[in-house]
Amino acid sequence: MSLAYSYITSHYGLSRVAKELEGELYLFLDTETTSDDKIRLVQIGNYEHIFILDLFDLRDAGILFLRELLSKKGIVGHNLKFDLKYLLKNGIEPYAVFDTLIASQLIGETDRHSLQYTAMHYLGEVIDKSLQLSNWGSQHLTEKQLEYAALDVKIVRDLFPKMLERLNGTSHEEPLLLKTRTAKVFGLKNPIAIIEMAFVIETAKLELNGIPVDQEYVEKKVKDLEKQRQRLVMNFIAKYRVDPMSSKQLGDLLTKRFHLDLPKTEKGHISTDDKYLSDHSDHPVVKEILEIRAISKQLEKLKEILGKTVKGRVYPEFKQIGAITGRMSSQNPNVQNIPRDLRSIFKAPEGHTLLIADFSQIELRIAAEYVGEEKMIKAFKDGRDMHRYTSALLLGKREEEITKEERQLAKAVNFGLIYGISAKGLMEYAKTYGVDITLEEAQRLREGFFEYFHGFKVWHDKVKEELKKYKEVRGATLLGRKYIAHTFPDAVNYPIQGSGADLLKLSVLMFTASLKAEGIEAKLVNLVHDEIVVECKTEKAEKTGEILKREMIRAGSVVLKRVPVEVEISVSDRWVK
């Protein structure tokens, strides 16, 4: 049986659409685009009607109609980030958003979240997506193409109530979030779903905004690094008669001439991976190899960014839920894994400034509240620097006597031991903070930490017992994001990092809402776990920074009920801190 729909190509047809959809809180939506990146069809509907608007025929009238219509209504769709980017480029911004792809990820009943798999799982329907790649730029669309376009709206319409019911099956509610437009329009009660649905449009904007690049500076840096690497490689060859870019030659050099103990690969070759060489990082030859590799990695990243730069900006793709913790991920290029010494390649254009904001010691603050570690909670309430405080406790000194190196050691202790790493693990982890300690010192520090902050030991023991008994740990973040963990590291990591991801997204939503309310223009250009990067006009930097800090702290008070949050903001023309 064919699917009923109305194909709208005239102004008269638009008036009919307006009349039929006038009283709806939300609409079901999908789009079809051409191979040359133009929007051809916008399919919208309610529970009775599906309308297919042909923008090639309707032109500006169709765009103006959609701007007016959707500015007052929520939309429900699948993988809406894709559709929203086309809509936003045409000045069309919906009032609220519900994405069935995001819903599928949050519900977690399947590992795959395409419309095909989602329809099969929740509706038992098999849908044919072969027409997705058909010629949508054709002067005359076929009946099969139009039916295909209408079907996507019907599928989403059938999915929505089932997914809404599952999402609302949570016992966790947050009164403030229930007052948001996303909650009111769609009847959402799940706080994580409210945040994630509202965040879909922010992700689309983030991709459209891009991040500014100092192209000339990058090109010069690439040339300098290539010269530096060439010099190091030539010196290495002259000294050892070995090509440092050849794993086989390096393996022979390190094991036969210098007698280093390195493992073998499955094929029987000596492995010279960085993770194995790092165990011998004090060896002079290994130091040279790692230095050459570090430069090569920098060059690879810089060249990738140069290759993706368009008119002074790169436009990465962001996956809104890139990990089970809710953290985002980015690719093409990945702008979340930029080493700190390369971040200066991102520079605001003339007359603009970058604001770089992050939460101070946020993982510790979240961990203290999550575990209910009263001594740590009190220290944060008293405004103490937790690293200096921990160092003083473990070393038996006054806080004002703690040296820079001792504070660095406490960073390793705090960030490592809240996740339960071993004494050997702490010894290795301390090296990443520039501190060398013996195994005995690490063991002593570990015992002292858990003796004083006993709540963490109780938590870790409970997690281990649960894993032993059930082979898994089920839990939720402070705002109720659910997770299942099968290993100890995951079980203690997920709720802390997941709560951090919830906090970051909520901060962005509150910030952008306040910007809109106060009529200030600013662009979100990057997000890195606990860091928000914003671009704004230089004369608006102070006011924008005030709003950003205020809303991050306000979001903190929603997620953390007992522990205060602190926010640090720096202002620069480059992404540096």
Side-chain angles (χ1 to χ4, degrees):
M1 186 177 71
S2 62
L3 180 63
Y5 61 86
S6 298
Y7 183 39
I8 308 299
T9 59
S10 67
H11 291 209
Y12 171 76
L14 288 177
S15 62
R16 182 191 158 205
V17 177
K19 185 178 178 183
E20 295 286 357
L21 303 181
E22 185 180 8
E24 305 292 348
L25 275 175
Y26 54 84
L27 303 171
F28 305 99
L29 178 142
D30 190 39
T31 62
E32 304 301 337
T33 58
T34 64
S35 57
D36 58 349
D37 222 25
K38 292 177 183 173
I39 190 165
R40 173 66 186 271
L41 301 181
V42 176
Q43 307 95 274
I44 53 174
N46 56 14
Y47 283 104
E48 285 81 39
H49 303 279
I50 295 174
F51 299 99
I52 301 176
L53 278 58
D54 192 328
L55 296 186
F56 277 22
D57 288 324
L58 295 167
R59 299 182 182 275
D60 288 348
I63 297 294
L64 291 170
F65 172 79
L66 288 167
R67 278 182 199 164
E68 175 67 19
L69 178 72
L70 298 184
S71 68
K72 300 169 186 173
K73 299 187 187 298
I75 60 170
V76 181
H78 194 85
N79 191 20
L80 275 173
K81 182 186 75 171
F82 174 86
D83 307 284
L84 281 166
K85 286 170 71 175
Y86 284 94
L87 295 175
L88 290 167
K89 279 191 274 190
N90 285 283
I92 303 164
E93 184 169 343
Y95 182 71
V97 166
F98 185 104
D99 192 332
T100 51
L101 181 146
I102 297 295
S104 178
Q105 286 185 282
L106 293 177
I107 294 164
E109 291 180 8
T110 62
D111 292 330
R112 302 175 80 166
H113 309 286
S114 69
L115 190 59
Q116 276 178 305
Y117 279 92
T118 310
M120 172 60 76
H121 179 79
Y122 291 96
L123 306 174
E125 291 190 33
V126 178
I127 58 174
D128 181 2
K129 298 294 287 182
S130 58
L131 283 171
Q132 186 174 26
L133 300 176
S134 62
N135 181 12
W136 293 101
S138 173
Q139 187 176 355
H140 299 291
L141 298 176
T142 67
E143 191 173 329
K144 282 191 174 181
Q145 283 180 300
L146 295 175
E147 281 194 6
Y148 167 86
L151 180 63
D152 278 359
V153 173
K154 179 192 176 296
I155 293 294
V156 166
R157 184 170 70 188
D158 293 342
L159 282 171
F160 173 68
K162 292 179 182 292
M163 294 186 143
L164 181 64
E165 183 181 6
R166 281 172 169 82
L167 289 173
N168 281 346
T170 177
S171 58
H172 194 113
E173 287 191 5
E174 186 59 51
L176 178 70
L177 294 175
L178 290 175
K179 296 175 183 176
T180 62
R181 61 173 63 175
T182 304
K184 290 177 180 177
V185 168
F186 302 111
L188 262 177
K189 297 176 183 176
N190 180 324
I192 297 301
I194 292 168
I195 290 171
E196 290 290 3
M197 295 309 170
F199 203 76
V200 174
I201 198 163
E202 300 302 334
T203 308
K205 288 178 180 178
L206 182 59
E207 289 194 2
L208 287 174
N209 290 341
I211 181 167
V213 176
D214 187 341
Q215 194 164 339
E216 198 175 305
Y217 178 75
V218 179
E219 288 168 353
K220 182 180 183 304
K221 199 163 185 67
V222 165
K223 286 180 183 175
D224 291 344
L225 286 172
E226 282 179 334
K227 286 178 186 174
Q228 189 181 344
R229 181 176 66 177
Q230 186 179 20
R231 186 176 68 252
L232 290 172
V233 167
M234 295 308 293
N235 286 344
F236 193 94
I237 293 171
K239 270 200 266 184
Y240 307 111
R241 295 289 182 258
V242 163
D243 180 1
M245 314 305 274
S246 166
S247 294
K248 186 179 185 307
Q249 291 183 38
L250 281 181
D252 289 342
L253 174 74
L254 295 173
T255 57
K256 293 177 182 176
R257 199 187 306 182
F258 293 103
H259 309 294
L260 297 187
D261 183 22
L262 295 171
K264 289 189 175 181
T265 65
E266 288 180 2
K267 294 183 178 179
H269 303 304
I270 296 161
S271 178
T272 59
D273 286 355
D274 285 0
K275 62 181 176 181
Y276 300 123
L277 291 189
S278 63
D279 292 336
H280 308 279
S281 57
D282 292 336
H283 195 285
V285 181
V286 173
K287 274 185 180 176
E288 291 180 53
I289 296 165
L290 292 176
E291 186 180 2
I292 291 168
R293 287 183 178 179
I295 292 171
S296 295
K297 286 174 187 174
Q298 288 185 329
L299 278 168
E300 187 180 348
K301 176 56 75 175
L302 291 174
K303 286 177 179 179
E304 182 193 13
I305 287 167
L306 272 182
K308 301 283 184 183
T309 300
V310 179
K311 295 181 180 177
R313 302 182 85 87
V314 288
Y315 297 88
E317 297 169 32
F318 284 87
K319 191 171 183 184
Q320 185 173 325
I321 302 177
I324 197 168
T325 59
R327 275 187 169 184
M328 300 178 75
S329 61
S330 75
Q331 61 183 8
N332 296 326
N334 185 344
V335 290
Q336 294 182 308
N337 69 346
I338 307 291
R340 289 198 176 272
D341 56 351
L342 287 187
R343 289 184 174 187
S344 58
I345 66 172
F346 297 105
K347 183 184 179 185
E350 192 71 33
H352 289 72
T353 294
L354 295 180
L355 304 176
I356 304 100
D358 63 7
F359 292 99
S360 172
Q361 301 175 1
I362 194 61
E363 283 186 45
L364 287 178
R365 293 173 192 270
I366 290 169
E369 174 137 344
Y370 187 84
V371 173
E373 172 42 67
E374 296 299 335
K375 289 175 183 172
M376 196 174 276
I377 291 171
K378 185 179 185 305
F380 278 126
K381 282 182 174 177
D382 292 344
R384 280 191 154 107
D385 177 321
M386 188 53 65
H387 301 316
R388 196 171 291 280
Y389 177 60
T390 301
S391 186
L393 284 172
L394 298 180
L395 300 177
K397 299 172 74 170
R398 293 201 304 272
E399 287 176 59
E400 58 270 23
E401 295 174 337
I402 297 301
T403 66
K404 185 178 179 181
E405 186 181 53
E406 287 167 343
R407 187 178 182 276
Q408 283 294 100
L409 174 59
K411 273 189 178 183
V413 169
N414 282 330
F415 290 132
L417 295 183
I418 62 170
Y419 296 122
I421 62 173
S422 65
K424 186 175 187 300
L426 177 59
M427 182 180 71
E428 295 299 323
Y429 188 47
K431 290 179 183 177
T432 65
Y433 286 91
V435 181
D436 287 318
I437 55 173
T438 65
L439 185 60
E440 291 73 23
E441 287 171 325
Q443 184 62 41
R444 197 159 54 247
L445 289 167
R446 191 174 187 277
E447 288 170 0
F449 179 90
F450 287 122
E451 183 181 346
Y452 190 78
F453 298 121
H454 190 63
F456 286 103
K457 184 173 189 314
V458 172
W459 176 44
H460 293 162
D461 289 345
K462 181 185 172 189
V463 166
K464 288 172 185 174
E465 185 61 32
E466 202 170 329
L467 279 170
K468 186 178 177 183
K469 190 173 181 181
Y470 301 109
K471 309 300 180 192
E472 67 178 26
V473 172
R474 290 175 178 258
T477 63
L478 290 171
L479 273 185
R481 185 186 297 271
K482 293 179 181 178
Y483 66 85
I484 302 173
H486 296 95
T487 67
F488 176 76
D490 286 346
V492 293
N493 181 288
Y494 287 172
I496 311 305
Q497 290 199 358
S499 296
D502 300 340
L503 172 56
L504 186 79
K505 289 176 178 178
L506 182 59
S507 299
V508 168
L509 293 172
M510 289 182 163
F511 169 62
T512 54
S514 287
L515 283 181
K516 198 170 186 178
E518 300 195 31
I520 293 178
E521 287 186 22
K523 291 179 178 179
L524 186 71
V525 295
N526 203 5
L527 294 171
V528 188
H529 307 325
D530 62 353
E531 190 172 341
I532 299 172
V533 186
V534 174
E535 178 188 331
C536 66
K537 289 183 178 177
T538 303
E539 64 266 25
K540 296 289 184 182
E542 186 177 352
K543 181 64 177 174
T544 306
E546 287 172 6
I547 295 170
L548 181 56
K549 185 171 185 174
R550 181 188 75 210
E551 296 308 321
M552 288 173 75
I553 290 172
R554 195 159 75 96
S557 69
V558 174
V559 179
L560 297 166
K561 309 298 186 188
R562 302 183 62 201
V563 178
V565 301
E566 290 183 7
V567 173
E568 297 171 355
I569 294 186
S570 62
V571 182
S572 173
D573 64 335
R574 295 183 186 271
W575 181 21
V576 291
K577 288 210 72 175

